[in-house]
Amino acid sequence: MHKKTVSDIDVNGKKVLVRVDFNVPLDEHQNITNNTRINAALPTINYLLEHNAAVILMSHLGRPKGEVKPSLSLKPVAKLLEKITGKKVYFVHDCIGDDVKQAAKNLKPGEILLLENTRFHPEEKKNDPKFAKELASLADVFVNEAFGTAHRAHASNVGVAEYLPSTVGFLIEKEIEYLNKALLNPEKPYTAILGGVKVSDKIDLIQKLLEKADSILIGGAMMFTFLKALGFSVGKSLVEEDKIPAALEIMEQAKERCVNLYLPEDTVVAKEMEEDTEFHSVPVDAIPDDMIGLDIGILTVRKYTEIIKPSKTVIWNGPMGMFEISSFSHGTKGIARAVAACSGITIIGGGDSAAAIEKFGFADKVSHISTGGGASLEYLSGKELPGIAVIPDK
Ligand code: ADP
Ligand code: MG
C-alpha cells in the first residue's frame, strides 16, 4: 500500500489518537453481540502498546443524530476491550472538553483510553474543523483504522488528519491489500457473486465488475428486477421498477464485453416472508402470481458452484436469499460452501454477506471478510475513500 502506515512512524512515548470502528451490534440490554470489529483493531492497538505509545481510541456507535444517547454509549465496549486485551481501559464520558484533555494528558505509554461516541456531537458528521482540532489537540499522532467509516468525510476520520501527522492502521492496510486483488489485476477466472436487496445499491459496482470479471452470478432480491426486465413474471417478488432500464443496459453491456452474466434458473417461493410458512422451488419462468421469490433454488446453487469452484478470484457481495429465515437460507449457505471450497482468493464484502458467512461457519475458509460494508462497496466500485485519501503517501 502506498499510504503511510503505523509502522512507518516513530510512536515511542507519543500519544496516538486512533479512529477505530467500534460501531458494534448491540442487543436491547446494550450487550455486544459480535466482537469482530473490536478484534479487527487489535493488531494496531497491540502494536502501539508494544511500541510504548499511549493509545487514545475514538469511534462512533450507531446513529445518535448529534445528541447524547446513553443507549449508544461506548462504555460497554471499554469493558469488553478490557476483557479482550487484559489491560485497564480508561473511559471518558465525552470526546472533547477539559475532562477529556486531562485524561489524555494523564495517560501513560502502554495505557489505553477510550473516548465517548463521537456522534454525540453534531459537528462530527459535519466535519467541523473546530471540533476536529479539539480532537487532534489530545495527541501527537493520528491513526485512521476505521475502514467501515472510510467512505465518509467526518471530523474524527478526515478532519483530524489536517492537524496531526497521520497514518492508516494495519486493518485498513489489509482491507485495501485484499480489495485491490479484486479491483486492480484479479487473477482469472474472476467471478463476482451479487445479491442482496437492491440493484440500485450496486449499479456502480456492477459497472466496475463489467470491466474486470469473467462471470457475474446474480441472486438475492435483485434477481427479480433482471428477470422482469427480460419479460418474466415474478409474482410478488421485490422489483425495482425504475431500475429495469439499468438492468437491461447491464445485460447488454455484459454481452458486448463478453462477460458471462448468469441469472438463477430456479427460485424458492412462499406466500409470506416468514418462518414456518409453506415454500417450494419453481423454475424462474413459472413463478406463481401470488408468491414471493425469497431464495435461489438448488439447480442454481449447483450451476453457480461449478463456476465458483475453479475461479482464481471470487468477490461476493449480497446474500442469495432472505437467509435470516432458515427456509430461505439454503441458497446463501450453498454459495457460502462453494466459496469456502474455492482455492483462489475469496473476498466477502457487505455487512449482511459477512454475517451470513459467519452464521454458516465458513468464516475461516475465505481469504478476507471486509469489516466495512458500504466502504468496501464504494472502493470496489472504483471510488476514492476520503478516510484513506486524506492520509499522506509513504
Ligand atoms: P450486504 O449487506 O451483504 O451488502 P444487502 O444489504 O444488499 O447485503 O442485502 C441483504 C438483505 O437482502 C438480507 O437482509 C436478505 O434478507 C435480503 N434479501 C436477499 N434476497 C432476498 C429476497 N429474495 N427477497 C427479499 N429480501 C432478500
Ligand atoms: Mg446490508
Side-chain angles (χ1 to χ4, degrees), residues 17 58 96 123-124 127-138 154-164:
L17 180 63
M58 61 176 167
I96 55 165
E123 293 88 348
E124 159 73 328
N127 191 7
D128 179 88
K130 225 176 118 217
F131 179 71
K133 205 171 172 183
E134 282 278 308
L135 293 171
S137 73
L138 302 172
H154 293 167
S156 67
N157 69 330
V158 169
V160 67
E162 305 279 333
Y163 302 102
L164 288 174

Side-chain angles (χ1 to χ4, degrees), residues 277-302:
T277 188
E278 247 179 77
F279 61 96
H280 61 278
S281 199
V282 295
V284 292
D285 59 2
I287 301 174
D289 286 342
D290 59 342
M291 295 211 146
I292 320 165
L294 291 167
D295 196 7
I296 58 173
I298 184 77
L299 298 177
T300 306
V301 171
R302 275 191 204 136

Side-chain angles (χ1 to χ4, degrees), residues 185-191 209-215 259 310-313:
N185 288 304
E187 261 200 80
K188 302 206 144 211
Y190 174 21
T191 301
L209 288 170
L210 287 169
E211 295 169 20
K212 301 272 178 182
D214 301 292
S215 302
V259 176
S311 298
K312 287 274 173 15
T313 308

Side-chain angles (χ1 to χ4, degrees), residues 1-244:
M1 183 173 191
H2 59 283
K3 292 292 176 184
K4 266 195 185 164
T5 79
V6 64
S7 51
D8 292 326
I9 49 158
D10 178 22
V11 297
N12 188 358
K14 303 229 165 105
K15 300 222 195 291
V16 181
L17 180 63
V18 189
R19 176 41 159 116
V20 285
D21 179 7
F22 284 172
N23 182 29
V24 291
L26 298 173
D27 67 14
E28 63 272 28
H29 307 294
Q30 273 91 52
N31 293 312
I32 297 155
T33 54
N34 187 313
N35 298 354
T36 308
R37 286 181 157 171
I38 299 176
N39 290 334
L42 291 179
T44 291
I45 295 172
N46 287 332
Y47 174 92
L48 290 170
L49 296 173
E50 282 158 18
H51 287 77
N52 202 40
V55 180
I56 305 166
L57 303 173
M58 61 176 167
S59 178
H60 78 282
L61 174 59
R63 295 189 171 134
K65 307 221 165 93
E67 286 167 30
V68 177
K69 291 241 167 71
S71 62
L72 293 174
S73 169
L74 279 163
K75 192 156 192 206
V77 177
K79 288 222 176 91
L80 181 60
L81 187 62
E82 209 157 61
K83 242 189 231 162
I84 294 174
T85 58
K87 284 193 181 333
K88 168 104 192 105
V89 175
Y90 296 93
F91 180 75
V92 270
H93 294 275
D94 204 341
C95 59
I96 55 165
D98 290 342
D99 288 356
V100 181
K101 276 203 183 112
Q102 196 55 47
K105 206 172 155 202
N106 293 346
L107 196 72
K108 295 185 190 65
E111 292 183 341
I112 306 170
L113 169 68
L114 177 62
L115 311 184
E116 183 56 287
N117 196 338
T118 52
R119 286 196 192 165
F120 284 177
H121 293 267
E123 293 88 348
E124 159 73 328
K125 286 180 88 169
K126 290 184 193 143
N127 191 7
D128 179 88
K130 225 176 118 217
F131 179 71
K133 205 171 172 183
E134 282 278 308
L135 293 171
S137 73
L138 302 172
D140 309 305
V141 175
F142 170 63
V143 176
N144 187 13
E145 187 63 317
F147 183 70
T149 330
H151 58 314
R152 307 276 181 233
H154 293 167
S156 67
N157 69 330
V158 169
V160 67
E162 305 279 333
Y163 302 102
L164 288 174
S166 303
T167 79
V168 297
F170 297 130
L171 171 64
I172 286 195
E173 191 179 28
K174 180 167 163 248
E175 289 273 7
I176 296 302
E177 182 199 325
Y178 273 100
L179 297 177
N180 278 349
K181 286 185 205 278
L183 185 69
L184 302 179
N185 288 304
E187 261 200 80
K188 302 206 144 211
Y190 174 21
T191 301
I193 312 159
L194 295 178
V197 204
K198 291 190 190 158
V199 190
S200 47
D201 284 348
K202 298 182 181 173
I203 287 180
D204 293 339
L205 174 62
I206 301 175
Q207 291 292 352
K208 195 78 198 163
L209 288 170
L210 287 169
E211 295 169 20
K212 301 272 178 182
D214 301 292
S215 302
I216 300 178
L217 316 179
I218 304 279
M222 72 156 79
M223 68 190 257
F224 300 105
T225 301
F226 283 90
L227 289 170
K228 185 138 192 213
L230 290 173
F232 290 88
S233 64
V234 297
K236 293 197 168 150
S237 310
L238 292 179
V239 170
E240 281 175 281
E241 297 285 347
D242 61 327
K243 290 296 172 284
I244 286 177

Side-chain angles (χ1 to χ4, degrees), residues 224-279:
F224 300 105
T225 301
F226 283 90
L227 289 170
K228 185 138 192 213
L230 290 173
F232 290 88
S233 64
V234 297
K236 293 197 168 150
S237 310
L238 292 179
V239 170
E240 281 175 281
E241 297 285 347
D242 61 327
K243 290 296 172 284
I244 286 177
L248 283 171
E249 167 77 19
I250 286 165
M251 289 187 280
E252 195 56 43
Q253 279 189 31
K255 237 183 250 160
E256 271 169 31
R257 292 169 185 261
C258 299
V259 176
N260 301 307
L261 189 136
Y262 293 90
L263 291 174
E265 294 170 25
D266 55 351
T267 176
V268 175
V269 294
K271 287 214 167 113
E272 292 148 13
M273 299 186 179
E274 271 164 39
E275 196 81 59
D276 301 323
T277 188
E278 247 179 77
F279 61 96

Side-chain angles (χ1 to χ4, degrees), residues 196-197 201-202 317-319 324 350-353 373-374:
V197 204
D201 284 348
K202 298 182 181 173
N317 186 297
E324 298 91 341
D352 293 291
S353 321

